[in-house]
Every structure is written in C-alpha cells, then in structure tokens.
C-alpha cells in the first residue's frame, strides 16, 4: 500500500489517494478550490470541472492521468442540475467513459454542489 499526496494540503484526517494491488483509490474531491477555499463561480459546470481537475492533479502524483480512471462516484446537491454537470463531465473526459454512479445528497463540505471520488488503474 502506498499513499498518494495531493498537490495541496489536506483539510482532514485522510489520504488523497491510496495505491493498492495496482489500483488507485481517490478520496472524494469537492469543487472547492484547495488554495482559495472558495467554490468556483460559473455554476455546476465550473464545479464539476474543479472537482475533476483536483482528481487529475492527484493522479499525476501517482504517475497517471484521467484515462486511467475506471469508476467515478458523483455526489451532487441538486439532481435538476445534472444535465449541466453531465455536459462538463463529458467535456472533461472526451472519448474516455469511466463507469459512473451519481447520488443526490443534501449537502457537501463548504456548501459545494458536487464531490467526486474515483478509482483508477495503474
């Protein structure tokens, strides 16, 4: 087992990611900018992009990129905004289509609209 660090300090007692048996397990990454601690302006699309970018930055520390992601679990606070979120998700991944689950939740940390956890393969 190997711990992957994020390029930003963690705000809680967790590892950004863990490598185990050729798999990379990433902790949930919200849409809060890890340096300014602000939710990006631009609505759900901007928040989706921020969350996915945070994930990709952690993957870079494991020596891989977004094309290694095999599964995402997406938590959003308003399912009515799913079309906007899905469009940003599709733009981010392009032809790569990881397996995905989406859940509507009441709220996330820092009142972000979205948080994503992911599993990737080395």
């Amino acid at each position: 087992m190997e711990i992957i660090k994020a390029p930003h300090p963690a705000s809680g007692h967790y590892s950004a990611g863990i490598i185990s048996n050729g798999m990379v397990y990433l902790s949930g990454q919200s849409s809060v900018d890890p340096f300014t601690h602000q939710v990006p302006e631009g609505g759900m699309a901007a928040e989706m992009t921020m969350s996915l970018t945070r994930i990709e930055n952690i993957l870079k520390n494991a020596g891989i990129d977004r094309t290694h992601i095999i599964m995402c679990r997406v938590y959003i606070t308003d399912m009515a905004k799913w079309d906007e979120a899905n469009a940003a998700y599709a733009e981010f991944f392009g032809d790569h289509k990881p397996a995905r689950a989406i859940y509507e939740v009441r709220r996330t940390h820092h009142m972000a609209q979205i948080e994503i956890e992911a599993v990737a393969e080395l």
Side-chain angles (χ1 to χ4, degrees):
M1 184 172 77
E2 178 184 344
I3 294 174
I4 306 167
K5 294 188 178 197
H8 55 273
S11 61
H13 184 74
Y14 66 93
S15 297
I18 299 286
I19 296 173
S20 180
N21 295 318
M23 303 300 292
V24 182
Y25 301 91
L26 298 178
S27 293
Q29 298 298 308
S30 76
S31 57
V32 174
D33 184 301
F35 300 104
T36 67
H37 306 290
Q38 301 295 312
V39 174
E41 294 182 15
M44 183 59 82
E47 290 198 42
M48 174 65 81
T49 301
M50 173 61 79
S51 184
L52 290 168
T53 299
R54 289 180 63 165
I55 286 170
E56 184 163 51
N57 288 337
I58 296 166
L59 290 175
K60 286 178 185 175
N61 284 348
I64 58 176
D65 63 24
R66 69 181 83 177
T67 64
H68 290 253
I69 295 174
I70 60 173
M71 176 68 184
C72 287
R73 289 179 192 87
V74 180
Y75 304 91
I76 64 174
T77 58
D78 185 355
M79 199 63 83
K81 296 181 180 180
W82 178 239
D83 288 342
E84 184 183 356
N86 188 55
Y89 183 95
E91 183 177 333
F92 184 86
F93 279 110
D95 292 334
H96 181 58
K97 294 182 178 180
R100 179 180 69 194
I102 178 164
Y103 308 93
E104 184 175 35
V105 296
R106 197 172 91 186
R107 68 176 154 220
T108 67
H109 195 54
H110 295 293
M111 302 311 286
Q113 296 184 81
I114 194 161
E115 184 169 326
I116 303 171
E117 60 179 294
V119 178
E121 187 174 45
L122 289 178

